[in-house]
Amino acid sequence: MNPYEVLGVREGASEAEIKAAYKELAKKYHPDKYVDNPLSDLAEQKMQEINTAYDMLMKSDTGSGGNYGSQSGAARSDFMQVRRDIDMGNLSAAETALDNSSNRNAEWFFLKGVIASRKGWYDEAVNDLQTAVNMDPSNQEFRRHYAAIAGRGGAFRNQAQGRGYVQGGGDDMCCRALQCYICADCCCDCI
């Protein structure tokens, strides 16, 4: 099997071209699209071929491995499917695979952080990415993602404060009065 032919790219294609071809084919042949369809077995077989071809090219000298930068061979093989699931937007499958994994290394925390950031869970993403960076401080991929997420959080805080939302509630008397009113209404039916 020629992995370039399977993915429909020319030999020596760039990593970006390989990834783009893989994503396009994965969307086309994903088994979820063929549920209760007589072609489901064929689609599953085709998807396996696509995954094998992609793995071969990403593990070779031409590719550097996965959408999140190069990793050591051992780390790549442990979490390759999780990375693929994240790339395809299948966060629940990626999260389930991570939760079932006993290998809680730096990449595990990194991938948990990526999933949390995709879900919009900023605090959890920052914590997981920071743990990954602390466990493997020389990994530029982890550091880059952590810096990007941490930077976004600062921007959100600044934007919120610019609109009058102050961390800790501030001293707005109207807001405090409204809070007291709501609390009183919840505690008794006198209002």
Side-chain angles (χ1 to χ4, degrees):
M1 167 180 87
N2 182 339
Y4 292 101
E5 288 178 14
V6 172
L7 294 178
V9 295
R10 63 178 171 72
E11 287 207 31
S14 70
E15 185 176 331
E17 291 171 312
I18 293 169
K19 288 178 184 178
Y22 171 78
K23 286 181 181 179
E24 197 63 38
L25 290 170
K27 287 178 189 173
K28 182 176 180 180
Y29 293 106
H30 197 277
D32 290 349
K33 290 180 75 173
Y34 294 92
V35 176
D36 297 326
N37 188 317
L39 299 174
S40 64
D41 291 339
L42 186 61
E44 189 173 329
Q45 181 183 359
K46 184 68 174 172
M47 196 65 210
Q48 287 175 351
E49 284 179 21
I50 294 165
N51 286 336
T52 302
Y54 182 76
D55 288 345
M56 287 172 66
L57 293 176
M58 289 294 106
K59 289 179 182 176
S60 72
D61 291 336
T62 1
S64 65
N67 193 27
Y68 306 100
S70 62
Q71 297 291 316
S72 68
R76 239 188 296 153
S77 64
D78 286 350
F79 296 110
M80 183 62 86
Q81 184 60 45
V82 172
R83 287 172 178 263
R84 258 191 244 114
D85 286 337
I86 292 171
D87 286 344
M88 294 175 60
N90 193 354
L91 300 182
S92 61
E95 193 166 30
T96 300
L98 285 175
D99 290 342
N100 292 332
S101 173
S102 61
N103 186 2
R104 304 285 166 105
N105 61 10
E107 186 176 13
W108 185 91
F109 282 99
F110 168 72
L111 293 172
K112 285 292 272 190
V114 170
I115 291 169
S117 71
R118 295 264 178 105
K119 289 182 169 184
W121 300 346
Y122 170 76
D123 291 335
E124 188 175 327
V126 168
N127 289 338
D128 288 336
L129 291 171
Q130 187 171 30
T131 301
V133 169
N134 290 343
M135 291 173 77
D136 188 0
S138 64
N139 189 309
Q140 293 303 312
E141 174 187 27
F142 299 170
R143 296 171 70 82
R144 198 171 47 251
H145 274 75
Y146 173 71
I149 295 295
R152 268 192 258 158
F156 290 140
R157 275 192 294 280
N158 292 340
Q159 187 179 28
Q161 288 174 352
R163 291 191 175 139
Y165 301 106
V166 180
Q167 194 170 4
D171 290 327
D172 186 358
M173 294 303 290
C174 183
C175 286
R176 285 185 183 217
L178 185 57
Q179 288 172 343
C180 290
Y181 175 81
I182 291 171
C183 185
D185 188 45
C186 290
C187 292
C188 62
D189 288 331
C190 59
I191 299 176

